[in-house]
Amino acid sequence: MERTVGRADDGVLIASGMLVLGLLWLVVTGGAVPAGIFWPLVIGGVGVVTIWVQVDERVTPDRNRKAGPWQRFTRGGGAMSIVRLLGGLALVVAGVSWILATQVGFAELPGVLGASGVLIAGLLIVLAPWLHQQRSRIRRADADRLRAEARADMAAHLHDSVLQTLALIQRQASDPTTVAALARRQERELRTWLYGDVSRAESLRAALQEIVTDIESRFVVDVELVCVGDTPVDDSIEALGQAVREAVTNAAKHSGASRIDVYAEVEDGRVEVFVRDRGQGFDPDDVPEGRMGVRESIRARMDRYGGTATIRSEPGNGTEVRLEIGG
């Protein structure tokens, strides 16, 4: 999955641009800058911003959201990316040419532009090997990051499914019927996951209800669910649900509480989920290094998908897990 890093709102960017334009106009009217180069500076500045936007990693489109015409024009990839790049270059060339024309005259402009073009071409030839090396390095870094995230997701999934089932089988070793049922169930889940046939719930509420039903069928515990609002399930919401499942499973296995409360709230694209129990609690700072439940299946998973996980617990005072994503 390709995640979207938070970026400034378009309205904020436009307001900032108007402010800069006003300050530049004040400088020009004050005599610090010749009035004849005001509009060339504006045109060239717009071109520079357009080009820099192309290399800003925050413009990566969110594929889980439907983009309107304005979003496709300003943030879309593919052909629109090339159009923005060429348009920015054209604006920069137009601004620079206008400034040169005001300084050397339009009659000398072709010669100046030709000399500038030769200089730029020479610089590109000299820098081409370095640029290629940097591009290859960035691609390798991206590939390494994707592989690391894939390994982390796989490890978290195996912990949440296979290792949890093996722990249950050990506890139920004296009941062959239960052991066989657990093994068959895990085999089906693992085959489904390996061959990519996993079906996700249509909404957050449905996903949480599935978690509650599953936990209550595997443990002697009541799970009370309250969900205020709802949202469709995309990759980030699915990761949130997996973290919720791990938090509820941990509470059912280790807290000793007879009831677990799950409260979810959806507001303005932000999703918060609280998992609370009044069990024996624990010290989050004393979690052993080899225990992946809290570190990988909850905290690291939320980090990978742009969310946060906060765990508050004290021995004897229960545990509260707060998960947040979006917004």
Side-chain angles (χ1 to χ4, degrees):
M1 173 199 171
E2 190 173 15
R3 294 179 298 280
T4 302
V5 182
R7 57 170 291 168
D9 183 79
D10 289 334
V12 175
L13 294 178
I14 294 174
S16 301
M18 296 298 295
L19 178 61
V20 172
L21 188 64
L23 293 175
L24 181 59
W25 178 252
L26 289 177
V27 172
V28 171
T29 56
V33 176
I37 66 172
F38 172 73
W39 286 112
L41 285 177
V42 171
I43 293 174
V46 172
V48 170
V49 172
T50 304
I51 293 173
W52 273 101
V53 164
Q54 294 302 110
V55 298
D56 187 354
E57 65 179 0
R58 297 175 299 172
V59 302
T60 303
D62 186 354
R63 297 174 181 174
N64 297 314
R65 296 183 180 179
K66 184 177 180 181
W70 173 253
Q71 286 74 19
R72 287 195 296 270
F73 177 75
T74 58
R75 306 182 188 182
M80 292 309 304
S81 175
I82 297 175
V83 169
R84 288 195 302 270
L85 179 60
L86 295 179
L89 289 173
L91 290 174
V92 171
V93 171
V96 173
S97 301
W98 194 342
I99 294 175
L100 290 175
T102 61
Q103 301 298 317
V104 304
F106 285 98
E108 302 294 332
L109 185 60
V112 174
L113 291 179
S116 300
V118 172
L119 177 61
I120 293 174
L123 289 175
L124 289 176
I125 292 174
V126 172
L127 294 175
W130 179 80
L131 293 175
H132 177 72
Q133 183 182 23
Q134 291 299 109
R135 183 181 181 186
S136 300
R137 183 177 301 172
I138 292 173
R139 287 185 172 180
R140 288 195 298 270
D142 287 341
D144 292 341
R145 175 181 57 82
L146 292 175
R147 282 194 294 268
E149 290 183 354
R151 286 195 296 267
D153 282 337
M154 181 177 294
H157 179 85
L158 291 177
H159 171 271
D160 296 348
S161 58
V162 178
L163 296 182
Q164 296 279 12
T165 301
L166 290 176
L168 288 175
I169 289 176
Q170 288 179 342
R171 292 185 178 183
Q172 303 291 335
S174 59
D175 188 349
T177 302
T178 301
V179 169
L182 288 171
R184 286 195 301 270
R185 175 178 176 177
Q186 185 56 64
E187 180 186 10
R188 288 194 298 269
E189 291 181 358
L190 187 57
R191 287 182 182 275
T192 300
W193 180 70
L194 287 175
Y195 293 108
D197 295 330
V198 179
S199 60
R200 61 171 52 155
E202 295 184 356
S203 67
L204 173 65
R205 188 190 302 272
L208 294 178
Q209 188 58 57
E210 289 180 3
I211 293 172
V212 170
T213 302
D214 178 63
I215 297 300
E216 289 184 336
S217 68
R218 293 193 293 129
F219 300 94
V220 183
V221 64
D222 293 328
V223 183
E224 298 294 331
L225 171 65
V226 176
C227 187
V228 179
D230 206 356
T231 185
V233 174
D234 56 16
D235 288 342
S236 60
I237 298 299
E238 184 176 18
L240 173 68
Q242 292 170 344
V244 171
R245 179 184 294 275
E246 178 62 20
V248 178
T249 301
N250 285 343
K253 288 174 58 177
H254 305 298
S255 71
S258 59
R259 168 175 165 169
I260 302 169
D261 295 305
V262 179
Y263 174 79
E265 182 174 354
V266 181
E267 183 178 7
D268 297 331
R270 180 175 58 88
V271 181
E272 278 186 302
V273 181
F274 295 86
V275 179
R276 301 187 182 98
D277 68 72
R278 294 175 176 81
Q280 59 188 9
F282 68 101
D283 187 349
D285 295 330
D286 289 339
V287 177
E289 291 292 335
R291 299 291 298 272
M292 293 181 56
V294 173
R295 299 181 187 276
E296 292 296 329
S297 295
I298 297 179
R299 285 175 172 165
R301 174 179 276 144
M302 294 299 294
D303 287 341
R304 287 195 299 273
Y305 287 87
T308 59
T310 305
I311 300 174
R312 295 188 298 181
S313 181
E314 294 180 0
N317 291 325
T319 301
E320 177 185 90
V321 179
R322 174 181 177 272
L323 307 171
E324 180 180 357
I325 202 164

